[in-house]
């Protein structure tokens, strides 16, 4: 590593800002991290302005809170809510209840529930403080690259615009085909026919404020499931699995949405804050980068939300990309370091897809065999703790283990023992994130 930072011109690297394409939370994180490394950044987004509405991605995991706290966005952890009990029901019977155990020594909670819209506003405040501004109404239509850098063409209300930069980090969401084509990425995977109705309501539900509730096959949604998450300000996020032909407008017009909510909360007063209908996918872009264009977030991977592995993994994409681009552009490492971004984050994306894919096969069985397995596990879980451990409603996000990375030097005395049981922390070893530990400082 160089003793003194080397400018891009001195190192032979292309000059110009890093172009961050997309100003969602992954793009915001990438821009803030790049700016913290002292790199010039240009951020563009196709939308006319921030449309921060709805809960969307609500679970932010500790390692992601740590990234944001390092950028001054402590408010995400401070304002978020951490539930401490997970209750799982099957056909009116409570199968089991799990109390949250935090074995760490971090000043941050293990996770918080906070709406994506609020998270985006907090990150916007940090961007403004860092002198970063989004160029709205810039729809990316083409991306080209060569040894001189990256050229991104955009359509705007004032006409076409061409931006020049050293690298591009594409955080364009699931519809970022232009970026995927620029790196020659396949976006293979699967889609699930069933849809999910997501509704945020504000209500007073005593005893539910710190509980996550998962219902398998309740009488008010037979054959499917419902997930309820508490959020700040007495807001509850409810996810219903619904048939492929579900029509939200018709449901509202005929009073069906009110009936759905009443079946859960009874006759208590409530307010609908936001609602939407989603269809879930499992897709991974391969590769996740080529040359001077890197894919991040939903532009690179789509997974079902059970386990909160979408946004959390996207933030880790941004962190991985930012430090590697900084080292390359400052002359602290050769350009081959940037090439490891795709290898490391593609492995992480595939790992997340495997985990969430298994969850979705349990939640939405695709064959007679999968249906029989689900029914057998749920029925046995009423009385058999071993069967209860097989109930899969999602494994919470965890930082990826880079044990197989080319940048990781293995240690014979500390081999990787494999993924720990759900809820357990991994054994520290090369490639695994070092756990937080208390430190004693003399005189403090």
């Amino acid at each position: 590593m160089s003793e003194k930072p080397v400018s891009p011109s001195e190192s032979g690297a292309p000059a110009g800002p890093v172009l961050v394409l997309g100003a969602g939370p992954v793009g915001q994180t990438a821009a803030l991290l790049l700016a913290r490394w002292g790199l010039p950044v240009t951020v563009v987004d196709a939308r006319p302005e921030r449309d921060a509405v709805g809960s969307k991605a609500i679970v932010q995991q500790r390692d992601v809170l740590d990234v944001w706290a390092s950028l001054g966005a402590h408010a995400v952890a401070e304002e978020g809510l951490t539930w401490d009990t997970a209750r799982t029901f099957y056909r009116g019977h409570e199968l089991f209840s799990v109390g949250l155990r935090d074995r760490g020594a971090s000043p941050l909670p293990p996770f918080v529930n906070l709406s994506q819209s609020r998270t985006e506003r907090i990150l916007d405040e940090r961007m403004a403080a860092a002198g970063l501004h989004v160029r709205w109404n810039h729809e990316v239509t083409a991306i080209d690259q060569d040894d001189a850098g990256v050229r991104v063409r955009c359509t705007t209300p004032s006409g076409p615009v061409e931006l020049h930069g050293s690298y591009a980090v594409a955080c364009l969401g699931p519809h970022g085909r232009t970026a995927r084509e620029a790196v020659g990425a396949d976006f293979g995977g699967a889609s699930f026919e069933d849809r999910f109705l997501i509704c945020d309501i504000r209500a007073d539900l005593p005893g539910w404020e710190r509980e996550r509730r998962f219902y398998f096959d309740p009488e008010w949604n037979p054959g499917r499931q419902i997930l309820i998450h508490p959020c700040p300000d007495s807001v509850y996020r409810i996810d219903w699995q619904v048939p492929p032909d579900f029509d939200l407008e018709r449901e509202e017009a005929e009073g069906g949405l009110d009936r759905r909510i009443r079946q859960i909360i009874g006759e208590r007063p409530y307010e609908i804050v936001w609602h939407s209908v989603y269809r879930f996918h499992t897709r991974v872009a391969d590769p996740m980068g080529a040359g001077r264009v890197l894919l991040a977030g939903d532009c690179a991977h789509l997974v079902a939300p059970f386990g909160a592995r979408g946004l959390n993994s996207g933030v880790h994409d941004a962190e991985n990309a930012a430090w590697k681009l900084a080292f390359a552009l400052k002359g602290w490492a050769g350009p081959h370091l940037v090439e490891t971004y795709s290898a490391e984050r593609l492995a992480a994306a595939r790992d997340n897809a495997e985990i969430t894919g298994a969850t979705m096969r349990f939640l939405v069985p695709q064959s007679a065999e999968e249906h029989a397995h689900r029914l057998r596990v749920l029925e046995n879980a009423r009385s058999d703790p071993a069967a209860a451990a097989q109930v899969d409603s999602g494994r919470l996000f965890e930082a990826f283990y880079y044990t197989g990375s080319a940048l990781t030097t293995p240690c014979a005395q500390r081999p990787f023992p494999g993924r720990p049981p759900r809820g357990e922390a991994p054994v520290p070893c090369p490639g695994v994130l070092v756990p937080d530990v208390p430190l004693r400082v003399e005189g403090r």
Side-chain angles (χ1 to χ4, degrees):
M1 182 180 295
S2 173
E3 291 289 333
K4 160 181 169 298
V6 180
S7 70
S9 58
E10 291 173 329
S11 67
V18 178
L19 306 179
V20 176
L21 314 179
V26 175
Q28 291 172 293
T29 304
L32 285 165
L33 288 167
L34 290 162
R36 190 180 65 177
W37 280 105
L39 299 177
V41 182
T42 297
V43 187
V44 300
D45 195 284
R47 296 169 293 176
E49 60 185 1
R50 173 75 63 203
D51 54 352
V53 295
S55 55
K56 300 180 183 176
I58 63 168
V59 183
Q60 337 291 2
Q61 192 261 357
R62 172 180 285 157
D63 300 319
V64 169
L65 298 176
D66 198 10
V67 173
W68 287 336
S70 74
L71 297 169
H74 306 84
V76 179
E78 293 167 355
E79 295 182 19
L81 179 151
T82 303
W83 46 265
D84 51 32
T85 303
R87 297 191 183 279
T88 302
F89 300 82
Y90 171 56
R91 293 182 177 175
H93 301 276
E94 183 169 350
L95 294 181
F96 51 85
S97 173
V98 179
L100 180 68
R101 292 178 295 170
D102 183 8
R103 298 179 178 81
S106 172
L108 295 166
F111 63 87
V112 298
N113 283 7
L114 187 68
S115 71
Q116 180 177 324
S117 59
R118 178 58 186 147
T119 298
E120 289 174 347
R121 289 195 295 271
I122 292 170
L123 294 176
D124 273 339
E125 293 168 3
R126 300 315 307 159
M127 288 180 66
L132 296 169
H133 304 284
V134 180
R135 299 189 186 187
W136 301 104
N137 277 315
H138 280 60
E139 181 181 2
V140 175
T141 57
I143 302 174
D144 298 302
Q145 60 173 311
D146 55 29
D147 291 342
V150 179
R151 297 181 305 282
V152 175
R153 290 191 290 279
C154 304
T155 58
T156 77
S158 303
V161 170
E162 184 169 288
L163 303 172
H164 297 258
S166 54
Y167 287 86
V169 182
C171 313
L172 295 169
H175 302 296
R177 176 181 295 179
T178 299
R180 291 191 290 269
E181 290 178 345
V183 302
D186 172 59
F187 204 40
S191 300
F192 294 88
E193 290 299 321
D194 271 27
R195 305 170 81 191
F196 285 82
L197 163 64
I198 297 176
C199 188
D200 297 344
I201 67 167
R202 182 173 284 110
D204 183 16
L205 302 177
W208 293 32
E209 301 93 336
R210 299 181 69 84
E211 292 185 358
R212 188 218 70 173
R213 293 179 165 231
F214 203 109
Y215 294 84
F216 285 97
D217 299 355
E219 61 181 13
W220 13 277
N221 200 33
R224 294 183 167 87
Q225 37 269 330
I226 295 173
L227 173 63
I228 305 172
H229 266 277
C231 296
D233 302 322
S234 299
V235 171
Y236 292 84
R237 154 81 168 263
I238 308 176
D239 294 50
W240 289 267
Q241 182 188 351
V242 294
D245 60 353
F246 178 82
D247 186 325
L248 179 55
E249 290 187 7
R250 185 178 62 199
E251 185 88 355
E252 284 192 279
E254 297 177 354
L257 182 57
D258 177 69
R259 287 192 296 273
R260 285 180 181 274
I261 295 171
R262 293 283 178 212
Q263 287 167 335
I264 296 172
I265 71 170
E267 295 306 313
R268 296 180 178 89
Y270 72 89
E271 169 195 357
I272 294 180
V273 179
W274 174 77
H275 55 50
S276 186
V277 177
Y278 286 97
R279 186 174 171 213
F280 294 135
H281 313 268
T282 299
R283 297 189 180 278
V284 175
D286 183 5
M288 276 182 56
R292 304 191 179 279
V293 180
L294 309 181
L295 311 179
D298 286 354
C299 188
H301 42 74
L302 294 174
V303 294
F306 302 100
R309 291 173 176 267
L311 171 56
N312 285 298
S313 185
V315 169
H316 282 199
D317 292 343
E319 184 185 41
N320 192 290
W323 77 264
K324 290 176 178 177
L325 291 178
F327 272 56
L329 288 169
K330 289 179 176 290
W332 296 339
H336 293 301
L337 176 65
V338 178
E339 295 173 6
T340 67
Y341 169 80
S342 178
E344 288 194 334
R345 296 312 298 162
L346 179 56
R350 286 174 171 161
D351 188 59
N352 287 325
E354 179 181 348
I355 292 170
T356 58
T359 298
M360 288 304 290
R361 287 190 296 275
F362 190 85
L363 300 183
V364 190
Q366 301 296 298
S367 67
E369 182 180 356
E370 290 178 356
H371 273 282
H373 169 71
R374 169 194 160 108
L375 180 61
R376 183 172 59 254
V377 168
L378 291 173
E379 289 289 346
N380 291 341
R382 294 185 179 193
S383 57
D384 182 0
Q390 299 179 50
V391 175
D392 190 347
S393 57
R395 180 181 177 123
L396 281 175
F397 173 84
E398 57 219 326
F400 182 65
Y401 312 138
Y402 292 118
T403 54
S405 169
L407 300 183
T408 299
T409 302
C411 173
Q413 289 73 39
R414 288 184 175 270
F416 179 53
R419 189 187 309 281
R422 187 162 48 187
E424 298 290 333
V427 176
C429 67
V432 173
L433 192 67
V434 176
D436 289 311
V437 295
L439 297 178
R440 187 182 303 276
V441 179
E442 184 99 21
R444 293 172 58 189

Short mmCIF file of all heavy atoms in Angstrom, two decimals, residues 60-81:
data_model
loop_
_atom_site.label_atom_id
_atom_site.label_comp_id
_atom_site.label_asym_id
_atom_site.label_seq_id
_atom_site.Cartn_x
_atom_site.Cartn_y
_atom_site.Cartn_z
N GLN A 60 -33.75 -3.64 9.15
CA GLN A 60 -32.36 -3.24 8.92
C GLN A 60 -31.49 -3.95 9.96
O GLN A 60 -31.66 -3.74 11.16
CB GLN A 60 -32.19 -1.72 9.04
CG GLN A 60 -33.44 -0.89 8.84
CD GLN A 60 -33.97 -0.90 7.41
OE1 GLN A 60 -33.39 -1.57 6.55
NE2 GLN A 60 -35.03 -0.16 7.15
N GLN A 61 -30.55 -4.76 9.48
CA GLN A 61 -29.77 -5.62 10.37
C GLN A 61 -28.56 -4.88 10.94
O GLN A 61 -28.13 -3.86 10.40
CB GLN A 61 -29.35 -6.87 9.57
CG GLN A 61 -28.78 -7.99 10.38
CD GLN A 61 -27.27 -7.99 10.33
OE1 GLN A 61 -26.66 -7.18 9.63
NE2 GLN A 61 -26.64 -8.89 11.07
N ARG A 62 -28.02 -5.39 12.07
CA ARG A 62 -26.98 -4.68 12.82
C ARG A 62 -25.79 -4.28 11.96
O ARG A 62 -25.29 -3.14 12.06
CB ARG A 62 -26.50 -5.55 13.99
CG ARG A 62 -25.27 -4.98 14.71
CD ARG A 62 -24.84 -5.88 15.85
NE ARG A 62 -25.74 -5.74 16.98
CZ ARG A 62 -25.90 -6.68 17.92
NH1 ARG A 62 -25.24 -7.83 17.82
NH2 ARG A 62 -26.71 -6.47 18.93
N ASP A 63 -25.29 -5.17 11.13
CA ASP A 63 -24.10 -4.84 10.34
C ASP A 63 -24.39 -3.73 9.35
O ASP A 63 -23.48 -2.99 8.96
CB ASP A 63 -23.58 -6.09 9.62
CG ASP A 63 -23.19 -7.19 10.61
OD1 ASP A 63 -22.60 -6.86 11.65
OD2 ASP A 63 -23.51 -8.36 10.36
N VAL A 64 -25.63 -3.60 8.92
CA VAL A 64 -26.04 -2.50 8.06
C VAL A 64 -26.20 -1.22 8.88
O VAL A 64 -25.79 -0.14 8.46
CB VAL A 64 -27.33 -2.86 7.31
CG1 VAL A 64 -27.93 -1.66 6.61
CG2 VAL A 64 -27.05 -3.98 6.30
N LEU A 65 -26.80 -1.34 10.06
CA LEU A 65 -26.89 -0.19 10.95
C LEU A 65 -25.50 0.36 11.26
O LEU A 65 -25.30 1.57 11.39
CB LEU A 65 -27.59 -0.58 12.25
CG LEU A 65 -29.04 -1.07 12.14
CD1 LEU A 65 -29.54 -1.50 13.52
CD2 LEU A 65 -29.94 0.02 11.57
N ASP A 66 -24.52 -0.54 11.37
CA ASP A 66 -23.14 -0.15 11.63
C ASP A 66 -22.59 0.69 10.48
O ASP A 66 -21.92 1.71 10.70
CB ASP A 66 -22.30 -1.40 11.85
CG ASP A 66 -20.98 -1.13 12.56
OD1 ASP A 66 -20.81 0.00 13.05
OD2 ASP A 66 -20.15 -2.03 12.63
N VAL A 67 -22.87 0.26 9.25
CA VAL A 67 -22.42 1.03 8.08
C VAL A 67 -23.04 2.42 8.11
O VAL A 67 -22.35 3.44 7.93
CB VAL A 67 -22.80 0.30 6.77
CG1 VAL A 67 -22.51 1.18 5.56
CG2 VAL A 67 -22.05 -1.02 6.65
N TRP A 68 -24.35 2.48 8.34
CA TRP A 68 -25.02 3.78 8.33
C TRP A 68 -24.58 4.65 9.50
O TRP A 68 -24.43 5.87 9.35
CB TRP A 68 -26.53 3.57 8.35
CG TRP A 68 -27.06 3.07 7.03
CD1 TRP A 68 -26.49 3.22 5.81
CD2 TRP A 68 -28.27 2.34 6.81
NE1 TRP A 68 -27.26 2.62 4.83
CE2 TRP A 68 -28.35 2.08 5.42
CE3 TRP A 68 -29.29 1.89 7.65
CZ2 TRP A 68 -29.42 1.39 4.85
CZ3 TRP A 68 -30.35 1.19 7.08
CH2 TRP A 68 -30.42 0.95 5.70
N ALA A 69 -24.35 4.05 10.67
CA ALA A 69 -23.88 4.83 11.81
C ALA A 69 -22.52 5.45 11.51
O ALA A 69 -22.24 6.59 11.92
CB ALA A 69 -23.80 3.95 13.06
N SER A 70 -21.67 4.73 10.78
CA SER A 70 -20.36 5.27 10.43
C SER A 70 -20.46 6.47 9.50
O SER A 70 -19.54 7.27 9.39
CB SER A 70 -19.50 4.17 9.76
OG SER A 70 -19.95 3.91 8.44
N LEU A 71 -21.63 6.61 8.85
CA LEU A 71 -21.88 7.73 7.95
C LEU A 71 -22.67 8.84 8.63
O LEU A 71 -23.08 9.80 7.98
CB LEU A 71 -22.64 7.24 6.71
CG LEU A 71 -21.89 6.22 5.85
CD1 LEU A 71 -22.83 5.59 4.83
CD2 LEU A 71 -20.71 6.89 5.15
N GLY A 72 -22.90 8.68 9.93
CA GLY A 72 -23.64 9.69 10.67
C GLY A 72 -25.13 9.46 10.73
O GLY A 72 -25.87 10.27 11.30
N ALA A 73 -25.59 8.35 10.14
CA ALA A 73 -27.03 8.07 10.11
C ALA A 73 -27.44 7.21 11.30
O ALA A 73 -28.09 6.18 11.16
CB ALA A 73 -27.40 7.38 8.79
N HIS A 74 -27.06 7.66 12.51
CA HIS A 74 -27.41 6.92 13.72
C HIS A 74 -28.92 6.87 13.93
O HIS A 74 -29.43 5.99 14.63
CB HIS A 74 -26.77 7.57 14.95
CG HIS A 74 -25.29 7.77 14.85
ND1 HIS A 74 -24.72 8.86 14.22
CD2 HIS A 74 -24.26 7.00 15.28
CE1 HIS A 74 -23.41 8.77 14.28
NE2 HIS A 74 -23.09 7.65 14.92
N ALA A 75 -29.63 7.80 13.31
CA ALA A 75 -31.07 7.92 13.55
C ALA A 75 -31.83 6.66 13.13
O ALA A 75 -32.91 6.37 13.66
CB ALA A 75 -31.63 9.13 12.81
N VAL A 76 -31.31 5.91 12.17
CA VAL A 76 -32.01 4.69 11.75
C VAL A 76 -32.13 3.72 12.93
O VAL A 76 -33.21 3.20 13.23
CB VAL A 76 -31.28 4.01 10.57
CG1 VAL A 76 -32.01 2.72 10.18
CG2 VAL A 76 -31.19 4.94 9.37
N ALA A 77 -31.01 3.51 13.62
CA ALA A 77 -31.03 2.62 14.78
C ALA A 77 -31.81 3.23 15.94
O ALA A 77 -32.50 2.53 16.68
CB ALA A 77 -29.61 2.29 15.22
N GLU A 78 -31.70 4.55 16.11
CA GLU A 78 -32.34 5.20 17.24
C GLU A 78 -33.86 5.24 17.09
O GLU A 78 -34.60 5.08 18.06
CB GLU A 78 -31.79 6.62 17.39
CG GLU A 78 -30.32 6.65 17.81
CD GLU A 78 -29.70 8.02 17.64
OE1 GLU A 78 -30.39 8.92 17.10
OE2 GLU A 78 -28.51 8.19 18.02
N GLU A 79 -34.34 5.43 15.88
CA GLU A 79 -35.78 5.55 15.65
C GLU A 79 -36.45 4.20 15.41
O GLU A 79 -37.66 4.07 15.58
CB GLU A 79 -36.06 6.46 14.46
CG GLU A 79 -35.64 7.90 14.66
CD GLU A 79 -36.00 8.76 13.46
OE1 GLU A 79 -36.87 8.34 12.65
OE2 GLU A 79 -35.42 9.86 13.32
N GLY A 80 -35.67 3.20 15.00
CA GLY A 80 -36.25 1.91 14.67
C GLY A 80 -36.72 1.15 15.90
O GLY A 80 -36.34 1.45 17.03
N LEU A 81 -37.55 0.15 15.66
CA LEU A 81 -38.10 -0.68 16.73
C LEU A 81 -37.54 -2.09 16.61
O LEU A 81 -37.50 -2.65 15.51
CB LEU A 81 -39.63 -0.70 16.61
CG LEU A 81 -40.43 -1.53 17.63
CD1 LEU A 81 -41.80 -0.90 17.84
CD2 LEU A 81 -40.61 -2.98 17.17
#
